Amino acid sequence: MSLSHVLDDPLITELLDSHTVRYVLLGSNNNDLNVIAASKCYRQTIGFKSGPDLITQRLGMGVYRALLNAMNSQQGWTGHVQIEQQWHRVQLWNCGEFAMLMEEPLSSLPPVAAEPGTPTTKAPLPQGMQADVQQSMLLIVDDKGRIQNISPSVEQFLGQTGDQLKGLDAANLVFRTDVAQFKRLVDKVKYQTDSAEGTFRLRNINNEVVYFDWTAACSGSEILLIGRSGKHNLEEALLKSEERINSILESMDDAFFAIDLQGHIQYLNAKGAELLGKSPPLLLGRMIWERAPHLKKTPLFKFLNQAKGSMLPETFQWQEPGNDIWYQVKAYPSDELISIFFTDISSIKRNENKMRHQATHDPLTGLPNRLALTSTLEELLQNDQVKDFKMGLLFIDLDGFKAVNDTLGHDRGDDLLVAVSKRLRSVVRSSDIVARLSGDEFVITLPYIADQDTAFNVGRKVVDAVSKKPFELGDKKIYVGASVGVSLFPDDGKDVEGLLKNADIAMYQAKQAGKNTVRAFHANMSATLQNKVDLENDLHDAIIHDRIEVHYQPRFNADGSICAVEALARMRSRSGELIPPARFIPIAEETGLIIPMGEQVLRKACKWLHDTNKKLKSPIGVSVNVSGIQLLDGKLCNTVHKILKITGLDAKLLELELTETVLMQNHESVLKDLNHLHELGVTLSIDDFGTGYSSLAMLHKMPVQSIKLDRSFVNDLPAKPDSVIISRTVLAMARALGLGVVAEGVETAEQRDFLIESGVLELQGFGLARPMTSDDTRQFVWAQQIPLESAKKILI
């Protein structure tokens, strides 16, 4: 019968509405009695509680067991219970899966059967019960410890009849910490001919406890237990001591168990019962591995056995199966018991895991960091399975990331890195590892692949994933690229350091090849990179030890007189070799060394010119090349002003040659600095004009005084008609904008004559004068005033 049908029954409804009689509707769940409903009278008396605690606290454990057995066997039950100094009759009748309990106060004491030969006692539990306890008790149980019969003296002590207790596990009458002794005594004589003796305590429904010395003997399938009471005064002191201990154990935050050496639970506090998910009555005296069989498969079983075997304390950490709760378990063995404390360390574990995660993961993207990557790679390389396969390593560097940081700010740069990390994870397998090393550098590990082509193809997927769709950063859509280097284990490295280094080398080659592409490592890349590293180190040293020399190439007016010189940086190696700018200038720009080197060149050129002009009637000027990196650094104007002041050079004699590409691509960011330089009186010119992205609309807004016609236009003059048209167009445009023109790369008299006839006022090239050392150039300038006729003879 369902609960709804029971509650709809008119009789049940009437009983639960009673204001005069105490009725309780009970149900059984997991071998526990639960209060489902109570009459109004009952609720008015004690309130309403659910669960088994109401029955055990009000009626006692013995009655609780009797009621549960009656309900499980679909039988009724009647008994007498003393509650708050008054006797009550308790009756139970079954309603299918449910039962109705009635509790009725009595006006007189219930009759109690007398033991033969002893006077009848009207009250089973008078005030002086301890002094009047019968000296002899008889308890008969079956081979499973269930009560078959008890003597009247036992009935008198317990306050319950044998009929009420028949079939109940006798362990429920035993004081909870003595259950193991009771079970051991029963087991000793079970199916044996010899008797045995033991000691354990009984507890009655008034929660009074008495020590009994027991003699046990087997009679067929039944065990007879004859008890003799004693030690009352000692027992009272022991009970008070034990209650204090129990109070301490119950107040602890730790779960606590005491089990005997066979694994029976002798004692547990409320936290211990909560840990096992069952009420104490269902656990006391029972084998822990039977009541919680899942624990037998955990380290708990192993460590408790170790403690029992060694008789030494064991401490270990244990995670409760099925959840994230961690305990530190301490087991203390003795001759009879193992005391076990479970301390919840979940918060400590979470903090440990958090700290471990922070130490091994990038806080921005959540990806593994270099430490975690190195550790994982080392484990992979030691795995024997890797030997049968290859392992790929992709080293990824973003193209254009610095520009995002510089223009949109570091917050948007961080957003970009997070978005990139998600795209990288989307193109790899779940077994692959995506890590962030630093900045905009990422690494992908590809274990168990067939060959280099597989890794290379994943590299292509990475490039496509990063570059083919824009990243939405706020209201901006940003495109960036990815340069990817590939190395392979064991071909390109047998350890973590070697694989990372060679993948990095391959990535650098991808950058050199135009960016946003993939390159696989091969041996000669290492030699190329080593040369680059050596040259970079040499450049550092050259700047520090003043081995950057400045050579000069004269620039001539149309009449052949020298009007200026161009300062050209040269690097002297440690061995004395002169290294051409085509080799070290790109490295200087890539590493940022161009800024301190450019300042050295500018200072030397200004000082050289100031000293040289002292002996000239008509002073000449000097032009110095400025890198786009120097211009974007934002400090060029201050540097120029400082050097002019130190060297004493007139600002109008200094010309700064700027690259056309940087001017056009960063118009707004550099225009302010250019205007400041112009205000200083410095001349500004555009170098290699015609090879960049100039537009007339932008050019006329800049404070530029001249342009240098690129040598590529001069080479084919005057023979090639296209070059003639282009050069004359550029000259016409310059005149329209009021700009001077310098033709560079003049090699022949024909080129010179054509350019002069076309209106070019200044010429420069190997056909006029080659670059010379500072001393040679000074002598050349001092010694010669070169008229046009002399210049013709030099060229011819």
Side-chain angles (χ1 to χ4, degrees):
M1 182 182 295
S2 68
L3 178 59
S4 61
H5 285 101
V6 172
L7 294 174
D8 289 338
D9 188 299
L11 176 59
I12 300 296
T13 303
E14 182 180 346
L15 294 178
L16 294 177
D17 284 337
S18 175
H19 287 272
T20 59
V21 183
R22 297 169 186 164
Y23 291 104
V24 180
L25 181 61
L26 300 176
S28 176
N29 181 29
N30 293 329
N31 209 26
D32 279 334
L33 284 179
N34 290 301
V35 175
I36 297 174
S39 69
K40 294 178 180 178
C41 176
Y42 204 102
R43 293 199 299 272
Q44 289 169 358
T45 304
I46 64 168
F48 179 77
K49 298 179 181 178
S50 61
D53 290 344
L54 174 63
I55 305 299
T56 56
Q57 291 174 9
R58 185 165 178 79
L59 304 181
M61 180 56 71
V63 174
Y64 173 85
R65 284 294 175 188
L67 294 173
L68 182 61
N69 287 338
M71 189 169 174
N72 289 339
S73 58
Q74 295 290 300
Q75 296 178 353
W77 186 87
T78 301
H80 299 87
V81 181
Q82 188 179 33
I83 303 172
E84 298 175 350
Q85 306 302 317
Q86 183 179 8
W87 282 93
H88 293 68
R89 183 174 69 225
V90 177
Q91 285 186 293
L92 176 102
W93 63 91
N94 271 283
C95 306
E97 299 176 10
F98 305 93
M100 184 62 74
L101 178 72
M102 181 190 73
E103 181 188 307
E104 182 181 20
L106 298 177
S107 57
S108 60
L109 297 176
V112 178
E115 191 175 7
T118 61
T120 300
T121 306
K122 295 208 179 260
L125 294 171
Q127 284 292 89
M129 184 274 295
Q130 295 252 354
D132 297 329
V133 169
Q134 297 293 324
Q135 294 297 307
S136 180
M137 298 271 187
L138 177 62
L139 184 63
I140 301 173
V141 300
D142 63 12
D143 57 356
K144 292 183 171 29
R146 295 174 297 202
I147 296 173
Q148 302 301 302
N149 204 352
I150 60 176
S151 66
S153 57
V154 178
E155 290 182 323
Q156 181 177 345
F157 171 70
L158 296 176
Q160 293 175 275
T161 67
D163 291 339
Q164 293 171 340
L165 298 176
K166 187 171 183 179
L168 178 71
D169 187 347
N172 292 296
L173 305 177
V174 178
F175 190 62
R176 57 184 174 182
T177 56
D178 294 347
V179 171
Q181 289 93 312
F182 162 73
K183 291 187 175 181
R184 278 201 297 270
L185 185 59
V186 171
D187 290 340
K188 279 184 182 179
V189 300
K190 191 187 299 184
Y191 309 121
Q192 304 295 320
T193 56
D194 296 334
S195 63
E197 293 186 351
T199 302
F200 57 84
R201 289 164 288 186
L202 294 183
R203 182 195 294 272
N204 63 27
I205 59 175
N206 274 356
N207 208 32
E208 295 171 313
V209 180
V210 174
Y211 240 117
F212 290 93
D213 296 321
W214 299 88
T215 300
C218 183
S219 175
S221 62
E222 294 181 333
I223 292 95
L224 281 64
L225 296 149
I226 301 171
R228 295 167 301 284
S229 63
K231 307 180 184 177
H232 298 306
N233 295 332
L234 175 61
E235 175 63 16
E236 184 178 356
L238 288 172
L239 279 174
K240 289 182 179 179
S241 174
E242 191 169 284
E243 285 173 1
R244 285 195 296 270
I245 295 172
N246 290 345
S247 177
I248 293 171
L249 293 173
E250 288 296 337
S251 66
M252 290 193 315
D253 289 333
D254 292 355
F256 172 75
F257 296 89
I259 64 173
D260 63 19
L261 299 183
Q262 285 72 45
H264 296 97
I265 300 174
Q266 302 299 300
Y267 178 85
L268 77 167
N269 62 7
K271 290 284 187 180
E274 183 182 327
L275 177 63
L276 296 182
K278 299 182 185 296
S279 63
L282 296 176
L283 295 168
L284 285 169
R286 306 304 175 90
M287 178 76 76
I288 187 172
W289 313 119
E290 293 175 359
R291 284 300 178 186
H294 62 286
L295 297 182
K296 202 166 186 177
K297 299 177 182 179
T298 69
L300 183 64
F301 181 76
K302 170 189 170 184
F303 282 104
L304 290 185
N305 277 335
Q306 285 181 191
K308 183 174 72 173
S310 66
M311 295 305 288
L312 295 172
E314 290 280 353
T315 300
F316 57 95
Q317 292 181 354
W318 173 69
Q319 185 178 18
E320 186 179 352
N323 60 42
D324 60 351
I325 299 178
W326 276 89
Y327 295 96
Q328 178 170 278
V329 185
K330 295 182 179 180
Y332 300 94
S334 65
D335 292 340
E336 295 183 353
L337 296 172
I338 302 176
S339 299
I340 314 161
F341 295 86
F342 293 77
T343 303
D344 190 336
I345 58 169
S346 303
S347 60
I348 297 174
K349 274 290 184 181
R350 283 192 290 270
N351 287 336
E352 286 179 356
N353 292 338
K354 182 179 179 181
M355 291 174 65
R356 188 178 299 111
H357 187 275
Q358 289 175 342
T360 58
H361 286 75
D362 170 42
L364 177 64
T365 63
L367 296 176
N369 60 14
R370 182 183 288 272
L371 177 64
L373 175 69
T374 301
S375 176
T376 304
L377 282 175
E378 286 174 348
E379 288 182 15
L380 277 171
L381 298 185
Q382 292 171 5
N383 191 334
D384 291 338
Q385 294 181 11
V386 178
K387 296 177 182 177
D388 300 326
F389 295 88
K390 304 286 187 183
M391 186 179 75
L393 198 73
L394 307 184
F395 199 107
I396 303 153
D397 188 271
L398 300 184
D399 303 323
F401 176 71
K402 186 177 184 302
V404 174
N405 263 350
D406 291 344
T407 57
L408 300 182
H410 288 277
D411 288 344
R412 286 289 180 262
D414 288 347
D415 293 342
L416 175 60
L417 293 173
V418 172
V420 168
S421 70
K422 292 178 181 178
R423 288 198 190 177
L424 294 181
R425 281 182 288 199
S426 71
V427 299
V428 298
R429 305 166 298 180
S430 59
S431 59
D432 300 331
I433 302 163
V434 181
R436 181 188 175 204
L437 292 194
S438 62
D440 59 339
E441 291 180 341
F442 297 84
V443 168
I444 296 178
T445 302
L446 307 170
Y448 313 121
I449 60 174
D451 49 35
Q452 189 184 75
D453 288 345
T454 304
F456 196 87
N457 289 335
V458 175
R460 289 186 182 277
K461 289 181 181 179
V462 167
V463 171
D464 290 345
V466 172
S467 63
K468 287 201 170 179
K469 288 194 306 182
F471 292 91
E472 295 187 5
L473 306 178
D475 58 349
K476 301 284 187 181
K477 288 187 176 181
I478 302 297
Y479 283 91
V480 294
S483 296
V484 182
V486 179
S487 66
L488 202 67
F489 172 84
D491 307 50
D492 304 325
K494 293 182 169 52
D495 56 23
V496 175
E497 184 180 354
L499 286 170
L500 284 171
K501 182 188 76 172
N502 291 336
D504 190 11
I505 291 172
M507 184 277 295
Y508 174 76
Q509 293 296 319
K511 291 276 189 189
Q512 295 294 100
K515 302 181 180 180
N516 204 41
T517 188
V518 187
R519 287 293 181 268
F521 176 80
H522 50 79
N524 63 352
M525 284 184 179
S526 184
T528 302
L529 182 64
Q530 188 60 53
N531 291 336
K532 173 181 173 292
V533 170
D534 291 343
L535 186 55
E536 182 180 332
N537 291 333
D538 203 6
L539 179 58
H540 270 283
D541 188 72
I543 294 172
I544 293 171
H545 294 96
D546 198 25
R547 286 191 282 106
I548 301 296
E549 299 179 7
V550 182
H551 291 194
Y552 300 91
Q553 185 177 22
R555 200 165 80 202
F556 299 90
N557 291 316
D559 62 3
S561 61
I562 298 175
C563 59
V565 293
E566 181 180 1
L568 303 168
R570 298 291 186 264
M571 173 181 162
R572 186 75 65 177
S573 70
R574 291 186 180 94
S575 61
E577 172 193 2
L578 201 60
I579 299 173
R583 285 187 57 195
F584 69 86
I585 292 295
I587 293 176
E589 292 186 322
E590 181 183 330
T591 59
L593 292 173
I594 192 70
I595 293 174
M597 188 187 79
E599 184 175 346
Q600 280 191 10
V601 170
L602 181 62
R603 187 178 65 252
K604 288 182 178 181
C606 290
K607 186 177 184 307
W608 179 91
L609 183 64
H610 182 267
D611 293 342
T612 301
N613 278 339
K614 288 178 181 178
K615 293 191 177 183
L616 293 178
K617 293 179 180 180
S618 300
I620 62 172
V622 63
S623 65
V624 180
N625 290 283
V626 174
S627 165
I629 294 173
Q630 290 174 272
L631 192 59
L632 295 174
D633 182 52
K635 299 176 182 178
L636 180 61
C637 189
N638 289 336
T639 300
V640 171
H641 182 265
K642 178 183 69 176
I643 290 174
L644 289 174
K645 187 175 182 180
I646 292 172
T647 60
L649 184 68
D650 188 345
K652 67 182 181 182
L653 299 177
L654 174 63
E655 177 183 334
L656 298 180
E657 297 186 14
L658 311 170
T659 57
E660 183 180 9
T661 303
V662 173
L663 286 175
M664 296 304 111
Q665 288 183 338
N666 301 276
H667 175 65
E668 293 181 3
S669 62
V670 301
L671 183 57
K672 184 178 179 181
D673 282 346
L674 293 180
N675 284 323
H676 286 160
L677 288 168
H678 180 61
E679 290 168 3
L680 286 177
V682 175
T683 301
L684 301 176
S685 66
I686 299 178
D687 193 17
D688 302 329
F689 185 83
T691 61
Y693 309 94
S694 298
S695 71
L696 293 177
M698 295 177 67
L699 191 60
H700 85 277
K701 295 179 182 179
M702 293 188 174
V704 175
Q705 285 78 50
S706 66
I707 58 175
K708 294 190 77 172
L709 185 64
D710 187 69
R711 67 184 65 249
S712 61
F713 299 124
V714 175
N715 286 341
D716 297 325
L717 291 176
K720 195 171 181 181
D722 289 349
S723 296
V724 171
I725 294 171
I726 292 173
S727 61
R728 285 179 173 168
T729 301
V730 171
L731 291 171
M733 181 188 71
R735 280 194 296 271
L737 293 173
L739 300 176
V741 177
V742 178
E744 58 182 353
V746 178
E747 303 288 343
T748 67
E750 289 80 6
Q751 292 171 347
R752 180 208 61 204
D753 292 343
F754 174 82
L755 290 167
I756 292 174
E757 290 170 5
S758 298
V760 175
L761 301 179
E762 296 185 19
L763 304 97
Q764 180 181 346
F766 282 7
L768 298 172
R770 290 178 174 273
M772 294 172 278
T773 66
S774 59
D775 288 341
D776 289 346
T777 307
R778 180 174 287 137
Q779 294 300 322
F780 184 84
V781 171
W782 281 347
Q784 299 184 42
Q785 293 292 331
I786 307 175
L788 181 59
E789 293 302 322
S790 299
K792 289 181 180 179
K793 292 179 181 178
I794 294 171
L795 290 171
I796 295 170

